[in-house]
Structures are given as C-alpha cells and as structure tokens.
Amino acid sequence: MPTTVRRTAAAVAALTLLAACSPADSGGPTKLTIATFGEFGYAPLIAEYQKLHPDITVQNRVTDFDTHHKGLATQLATGRGAADVVAIEEQYIPQYRKAKDKFADLASFGARDLQPQWAPWKWAQGTDGGFVLGLGTDMGSLALCYRRDLFQDAGLPTDRDEVAKLIPDWPAYAAAADRFTAKTPGVKFADSAGTVYTAMLNQSPENYFSQRDDSFIADTNPSVRTAFDLSGGIAAKGQTAAATTFTQAWNVAIKQGSFATVACPAWMLSQIKEAGGDANKGKWDVTTVPGKSGNQGGSFLTVPKQGAHQKEAYELARWLTAPEQQKKLFLSDGILPSEPAVYEDPQVVAHTDPYFGDAPIGRIFAASAEQLRPNYRGLHDADVRPEFGRALGRIEDRTQTVDQAWAQAVQQARALLK
C-alpha cells in the first residue's frame, strides 16, 4: 500500500546501491529511483510520467516488505544508497518522524499547499508539526471477504447484505464461526487469528501506546486484550487455517478454499485473485467488515535528504499521489486512495469487481473509509506488534493457551522497551 502492501519475492539484489546520475554527469536525462515494497501499480504511471517529462527517467526498485524497511534504515544510517523517492508503510512512520533530519522537508517544495487533498488523519500521519515527511498514497479501509459457496454449505446467508446483518460486530463473527464449524468441520472459518486480531485492533483509537505520552499500555488497554482474547479464542477452537497473509501457505489456502473469511483491506483483493486464480472466480464476495470500518496498511512517499535531485524527486512523488493518478490506481488495481475527492468520486463508488461476484467494492470501501478513525501508532509500534502476532501463532499451533500466550507477549514486549 500500497501498502499497501503487496509484498513480493522480488530479488533482494534490487537493493544494490544505485547512485543517481545528474545530467551534468551523463549528458542525458536526470535519473530518479523510486523504492517500494511490492508492486504499487506504478509501472504504467511511471511510463506516462516519463512521456510527460522526457528529461526524466525513473527506475522502480521493488523488494519485499521487511527487506525494504530494513534496507532503508541501513541506507539512512550510512548516508548512501537510498532511492530518490522511498515508500514507507504507516507502522514505520512514527520512528522515521523521529529521524526527520534524514529526509527532505517537503514543505520546502510547497507540499503544505497540497494538504486539502488528503483525509485529515492521513495528512497528520505524514507530518511532524510544520515538517512534511511524506505524501500519502493509499489506505487500507477494511471490508470482509467471504466464500459464498462455503457459507452456503454451512447453512449461513450468502447475500452480502444478509452476511453484514449476520456479523455486525466481532462477537457475532465469533458466533458465526461456531455455526460454520459445526456444519463444515473440514474447513476453517478464518485465515488466521492474526488477521482477526489486527482488524479488531485497528478499530481502536489506541493500541499498544498512549496517545498522550507514548507510554506502553497494551497490558492495561481493554481494546488490546479484547481483540487478543476473541481472536485467540477462535484459534484455540481450531477455527483458523493458521495461514498468515503474504505467505505461501496463505496462497495455497486461498487456492484450495481452506478458509471462508478474511478481513480484507482494498489492496488485498488483488492478492486473493492472484492466489485463487480463475478456478475461484465468482466464489468470493465482499461485504461490510464487523465493526463497520478500520484501517490496515497505507503508505507515504518520502524523499531522503541524501538524494542529488530532491526537487525532481518531490515532483515525481507529488504527481504519483495526485488525485488523477490515485483514481487510475484504484480502477486498475483496486488500491484505495487516501483522498476523499477520489474515493467519493462517482466512478470509484460505482466500481464493481467481477471476480468477487460483481461486488460493489467502490461503495463498500468508500463507506468504510468515510467511517474510518485513525489509531495511534507509538514510536516502537513496529517493534512490539510482532510479539502479539507470534503469541497468537503459539495458540494456533497448540503450544500455549490464550492466557499463557498473552502473558508471554506482554513480558516480551516490555523487555523490548527496556
């Protein structure tokens, strides 16, 4: 997200340090690099940009999520090797705001004039006071993807509006999981406890850290424990496929129809299509997520200060995040923009997807976006969050109970903060 996060197994060799060449160096066009984690759908846009700007050539460097962000940390620390434009996923934004001296202040190029383009919470995420760290790309407002055929086998409603009535909230989702399992014990209700947990957690204004002073509150925040207990309870009953998103196991489970539901941000639809293939076209549908909204993923385009062409890099980032280009990305790749003028656009709202039974995905995701309220990400969110995901994995593999896994997650999270 984009995030959105289309993580790919692209060769790590793409992290080879590439120095941008100036026209003075080569006598040719200015060469820019843009680094993303997974495919952001930028290939046709970059081709269009180069036609509009014949004095610019753009290379897109694509790596997987973890390699990308770890590589950026190293590049910033050494002062060399970063691309001219670098995408950063939302969970890493708090720590990079603290390292803003490594980035160009996009306000110096006029970025503050663009503020009205974005939802207020999205703009705020990418800024630090008057300093503009990055321009928002997509967001991951949530829906629920479900298998109509598997719901029918379990005697559950299959119409998307009826499914939304069946599971308006997460306790109702857990109850539906019980009903589903009783009728179809060979199929799991959810892909993983982690997906359920993350969706629930992202509907809360605070997660692991206090918005007031950034103190660790996971063990006292009822939203975290409620999400952990419900998702862990589903896992303890054997109702999840223990298939973590973006793994080969998840792809196989999608292809084989091993689970019936997944909380899906807009960018995930393409992952389901790719993994499911033509054999699963029309079996999936999309409806409102339990709890009505929430966000998972979303990114920003930043300009590291070490680049030789910061003004040109900013212009590329500005163009890629402009409403016209963001609309194209949604209509072609289902990447939901973080700009209200785009996700409220009649063409976007009317957009349907034949793979998902002609589900009105534009309307569903736009409605989710309208109700979205951001949640606070602490400075060490990216460090602490994985501990709770691993804890849920221990429940799924039957090595710990819910209480045991919770206690260990809290202990390990606190140890990381010492």
Side-chain angles (χ1 to χ4, degrees):
M1 140 148 332
T3 97
T4 188
V5 184
R6 293 198 195 173
R7 305 174 195 176
T8 179
V12 176
L15 275 178
T16 302
L17 303 184
L18 299 171
C21 300
S22 68
D25 295 330
S26 64
T30 297
K31 297 180 180 178
L32 299 176
T33 52
I34 177 169
T36 62
F37 47 95
E39 295 291 350
F40 276 38
Y42 282 166
L45 293 182
I46 287 173
E48 182 181 350
Y49 190 80
Q50 290 178 139
K51 286 182 180 179
L52 295 171
H53 302 83
D55 57 331
I56 301 286
T57 62
V58 182
Q59 179 191 27
N60 192 183
R61 290 157 48 178
V62 181
T63 52
D64 66 88
F65 184 85
D66 291 332
T67 299
H68 173 88
H69 288 97
K70 290 176 182 176
L72 177 59
T74 300
Q75 292 155 359
L76 294 178
T78 61
R80 57 193 294 265
D84 296 288
V85 179
V86 178
I88 299 178
E89 207 267 345
E90 63 160 357
Q91 67 178 286
Y92 285 93
I93 283 292
Q95 68 187 61
Y96 283 119
R97 278 202 301 262
K98 295 295 183 181
K100 64 183 181 183
D101 60 306
K102 303 291 186 182
F103 295 89
D105 180 2
L106 303 186
S108 66
F109 303 121
R112 274 199 291 267
D113 294 339
L114 305 177
Q115 179 176 349
Q117 285 181 200
W118 286 275
W121 64 267
K122 184 72 173 183
W123 175 261
Q125 274 189 333
T127 61
D128 186 27
F131 188 98
V132 180
L133 175 64
L135 302 180
T137 59
D138 65 318
M139 64 177 172
S141 64
L142 290 172
L144 184 74
C145 294
Y146 68 99
R147 284 279 297 257
R148 280 201 312 271
D149 56 334
L150 298 178
F151 269 48
Q152 184 174 15
D153 292 345
L156 297 179
T158 59
D159 176 80
R160 63 182 68 96
D161 293 334
E162 292 303 313
V163 172
K165 292 177 183 177
L166 175 71
I167 45 177
D169 52 34
W170 292 105
Y173 178 87
D178 291 337
R179 288 179 58 186
F180 182 90
T181 302
K183 291 291 185 69
T184 56
V187 182
K188 307 301 183 183
F189 191 65
D191 63 336
S192 72
T195 301
V196 176
Y197 172 74
T198 299
M200 291 184 67
L201 204 60
N202 287 347
Q203 293 175 341
S204 171
E206 291 181 316
N207 298 169
Y208 303 105
F209 297 92
S210 167
Q211 190 167 3
R212 179 176 55 84
D213 59 5
D214 204 43
S215 60
F216 182 73
I217 59 171
D219 52 348
T220 59
N221 182 357
S223 296
V224 179
R225 187 63 196 263
T226 297
F228 192 91
D229 284 349
L230 187 142
S231 57
I234 290 173
K237 293 177 182 178
Q239 295 172 340
T240 72
T244 303
T245 316
F246 305 116
T247 64
Q248 186 58 28
W250 189 85
N251 292 335
V252 171
I254 288 281
K255 189 176 186 66
Q256 295 179 346
S258 300
F259 61 85
T261 70
V262 57
C264 53
W267 50 260
M268 189 182 285
L269 300 191
S270 63
Q271 304 297 311
I272 294 174
K273 292 179 190 178
E274 183 177 350
D278 291 342
N280 286 294
K281 182 178 181 180
K283 294 180 179 179
W284 284 94
D285 208 327
V286 185
T287 190
T288 306
V289 73
K292 308 302 181 188
S293 188
N295 187 71
Q296 182 180 335
S299 302
F300 296 82
L301 296 185
T302 67
V303 177
K305 191 178 287 185
Q306 62 188 254
H309 305 292
Q310 294 174 31
K311 174 64 173 175
E312 293 86 348
Y314 165 74
E315 291 298 334
L316 173 61
R318 182 187 63 80
W319 189 84
L320 287 172
T321 56
E324 296 82 0
Q325 281 61 257
Q326 292 294 295
K327 179 178 176 178
K328 292 174 186 176
L329 286 172
F330 178 77
L331 296 177
S332 64
D333 292 82
I335 299 169
L336 188 70
S338 53
E339 298 165 327
V342 185
Y343 62 71
E344 294 171 354
D345 181 281
Q347 191 176 359
V348 170
V349 173
H351 189 62
T352 62
D353 193 320
Y355 192 92
F356 294 87
D358 290 322
I361 61 171
R363 175 176 60 79
I364 291 170
F365 284 111
S368 179
E370 289 286 359
Q371 299 183 64
L372 192 153
R373 298 294 178 268
N375 54 29
Y376 178 71
R377 295 295 188 101
L379 178 60
H380 295 287
D381 182 275
D383 301 317
V384 164
R385 188 172 291 261
E387 294 299 335
F388 292 84
R390 284 189 280 268
L392 290 168
R394 294 192 294 273
I395 300 170
E396 287 180 319
D397 65 21
R398 303 293 191 272
T399 58
Q400 287 186 331
T401 66
V402 174
D403 287 341
Q404 289 169 340
W406 169 261
Q408 184 174 334
V410 170
Q411 180 184 31
Q412 291 177 328
R414 284 199 170 278
L416 286 171
L417 300 174
K418 290 182 179 179

